[in-house]
Amino acid sequence: MVYNFKVFKKCSPNGKVTIYMGKRDFVDHVSGVEPIDGIVVLDDEYIRDHRKVFGQIVCSFRYGREEDEVMGLNFQKELYLASEQVYPQPEKSNKEQTKLQERLLKKLGPNAFPFTFNISPNAPSSITLQQGENDQGEPCGVSYFVKIFAGESETDRTHRRSTVSLGIRKIQYAPTKPGQQPCTVVRKDFMLSPGELELEVTLDKQLYLHDERIGVNLCIRNNSNKVVKKIKAMIQQGVDVVLFQNGSYRNTVASLETSEGCPIQPGSSLQKVMYLTPLLSSNKQKRGIALDGQIKRHDQCLASTTLLAQPDQRDAFGIIVSYAVKVKLFLGALGGEVSAELPFVLMHPKPGSKAKVLYHADSQADVETFRQDTIDQQQSVDFD
């Protein structure tokens, strides 16, 4: 029986350094991040000359448009989260190899060397801010890549011909333990009014998955002398660019306005359910919408809620994403409006517990090959 699994491969422009990785998405479990591991294959010339080869995990944070970088301004920071020498390997290296690394080392021969990096769980998640129609250059956001290069030291200036970089993502999945059911009640009194206008908003659950329809349950009790003429429900995405003091803003990613059941006269009440589905397809033209970090050959979608172990410990170079349902009652030109807000969590489900992949002698790897700035065709390698 043949077992199939996928391997990502990319070569440096001079063909002397090649990187192999089993995956490009690494899960942040809030308490810790999965180790980032792979294999580096070096050319015979580098082995003979004992060329030093280093590996790094780089977090790139772009906080301004590339087209605005004039007069020496630079709106991008690169953070080196992990760094180590891959070849010659340190004598005291006692890191355990994964099953995939063992199979690749056996197949790729003596010029193959493993690497494993660990990054802090406080590192920001991979997020991209959607560009406008006329924007050019790299989008703002947080991205990660594995960088392997030949040089004299870790701080040596790298040469593009002997450097290979492969983009990866730091992602989070939905927690398995559900939270409390969200519910809020807002009451507003008016001058010369004997009673209050009460708005109760409830969601079916706290955690929703992408592309899932969200039911907003409304209960309106009008004990005032005002008339409710219209109801509007919205899903708002909150984006907080931590680096800036005033870097917080909101985007409406789904909305529904209705007059059904209105007007709600004094002394009457209304119970209603409004359904909303936040989708990227409905927000393609909006600049600043937060998306999941993008890598080639991956479909984009709205960014997931950012989960933090401690809300006060935010990385200065991170982007925090949150979601909330907002409901407004319009009371006419003179009556004003009443609004209520309810936060919730929007995330991807954790992949199902698939059978553990065993790398047997007859295993076959689908190798997706990347060239510098381009993508090549797929190929496969038999492990025999």
Side-chain angles (χ1 to χ4, degrees):
M1 183 177 180
V2 176
Y3 297 84
N4 291 323
F5 59 96
K6 196 167 190 176
V7 174
F8 299 94
K9 170 188 175 183
K10 190 173 183 182
C11 297
S12 61
N14 64 5
K16 306 287 188 183
V17 182
T18 306
I19 183 174
Y20 291 83
M21 297 188 68
K23 58 183 179 180
R24 301 177 71 189
D25 288 344
F26 296 89
V27 181
D28 175 7
H29 300 288
V30 181
S31 59
V33 184
E34 287 182 333
I36 301 169
D37 56 77
I39 296 291
V40 174
V41 178
L42 304 179
D43 188 76
D44 290 334
E45 179 186 339
Y46 279 23
I47 301 295
R48 286 195 306 267
D49 297 342
H50 296 285
R51 293 283 300 273
K52 291 183 179 180
V53 176
F54 299 91
Q56 296 173 337
I57 302 297
V58 183
C59 173
S60 176
F61 176 54
R62 173 165 286 281
Y63 53 92
R65 295 189 300 177
E66 194 172 356
E67 58 195 57
D68 294 336
E69 294 181 341
V70 294
M71 302 294 290
L73 288 174
N74 186 9
F75 297 128
Q76 185 175 13
K77 299 289 185 185
E78 288 191 348
L79 312 175
Y80 295 88
L81 304 183
S83 180
E84 70 174 28
Q85 184 172 317
V86 178
Y87 177 81
Q89 289 187 311
E91 295 179 0
K92 297 182 179 180
S93 178
N94 56 356
K95 295 181 179 178
E96 293 185 5
Q97 296 175 5
T98 64
K99 295 293 184 182
L100 177 60
Q101 285 178 322
E102 292 176 357
R103 296 302 305 162
L104 288 175
L105 286 172
K106 183 178 178 181
K107 173 63 183 177
L108 299 173
N111 290 7
F113 304 93
F115 65 83
T116 302
F117 298 106
N118 293 288
I119 62 175
S120 168
N122 293 327
S125 296
S126 299
I127 291 175
T128 300
L129 300 184
Q130 184 167 260
Q131 294 179 298
E133 291 185 17
N134 301 321
D135 291 345
Q136 297 179 351
E138 292 183 22
C140 295
V142 178
S143 59
Y144 288 84
F145 56 92
V146 180
K147 179 180 178 182
I148 306 293
F149 65 95
E152 294 301 321
S153 67
E154 294 179 352
T155 58
D156 193 12
R157 183 178 179 181
T158 59
H159 298 280
R160 187 173 181 273
R161 285 182 53 79
S162 59
T163 301
V164 55
S165 298
L166 183 61
I168 60 174
R169 295 194 304 178
K170 176 177 176 285
I171 60 175
Q172 292 180 323
Y173 288 125
T176 54
K177 186 178 180 181
Q180 294 182 347
Q181 182 182 15
C183 178
T184 186
V185 179
V186 175
R187 298 181 180 88
K188 185 174 182 179
D189 53 3
F190 302 90
M191 188 177 297
L192 305 179
S193 176
E196 298 175 325
L197 175 60
E198 181 180 294
L199 169 61
E200 181 180 345
V201 183
T202 308
L203 299 180
D204 296 330
K205 53 186 178 179
Q206 184 194 41
L207 173 64
Y208 288 89
L209 305 179
H210 286 279
D211 300 333
E212 187 176 357
R213 190 173 69 162
I214 299 173
V216 184
N217 302 280
L218 309 179
C219 183
I220 304 167
R221 303 178 186 89
N222 189 5
N223 298 316
S224 68
N225 57 6
K226 302 293 182 180
V227 178
V228 179
K229 299 185 177 181
K230 191 169 54 177
I231 306 169
K232 184 176 183 180
M234 300 169 285
I235 294 180
Q236 295 185 330
Q237 181 193 70
V239 180
D240 183 7
V241 184
V242 183
L243 182 65
F244 301 112
Q245 186 174 0
N246 298 319
S248 300
Y249 62 92
R250 288 190 173 191
N251 290 304
T252 299
V253 293
S255 64
L256 179 62
E257 193 172 296
T258 181
S259 298
E260 186 180 347
C262 298
I264 304 175
Q265 300 292 343
S268 60
S269 61
L270 174 69
Q271 287 188 331
K272 187 178 184 64
V273 181
M274 300 178 71
Y275 293 99
L276 298 168
T277 307
L279 297 171
L280 176 58
S281 57
S282 307
N283 298 276
K284 283 287 189 181
Q285 309 304 323
K286 292 185 179 179
R287 174 189 288 170
I289 295 284
L291 313 176
D292 277 339
Q294 62 183 62
I295 54 179
K296 293 177 181 177
R297 293 190 180 179
H298 273 248
D299 295 331
Q300 284 189 300
C301 66
L302 294 174
S304 299
T305 301
T306 304
L307 302 180
L308 299 171
Q310 296 181 355
D312 56 334
Q313 291 186 355
R314 300 184 174 193
D315 191 285
F317 296 100
I319 298 176
I320 309 300
V321 178
S322 59
Y323 289 90
V325 168
K326 189 171 185 177
V327 178
K328 284 187 177 182
L329 305 181
F330 295 93
L331 311 179
L334 300 178
E337 61 186 40
V338 177
S339 62
E341 194 171 301
L342 207 53
F344 67 95
V345 176
L346 181 67
M347 302 194 77
H348 289 287
K350 190 174 182 180
S353 54
K354 300 177 182 178
K356 203 168 184 179
V357 178
L358 301 177
Y359 302 104
H360 295 275
D362 56 352
S363 297
Q364 179 174 313
D366 292 327
V367 182
E368 187 170 344
T369 306
F370 296 84
R371 295 191 187 279
Q372 200 76 2
D373 302 326
T374 60
I375 301 181
D376 196 13
Q377 71 282 353
Q378 293 191 14
Q379 55 180 316
S380 63
V381 175
D382 291 327
F383 289 97
D384 46 27

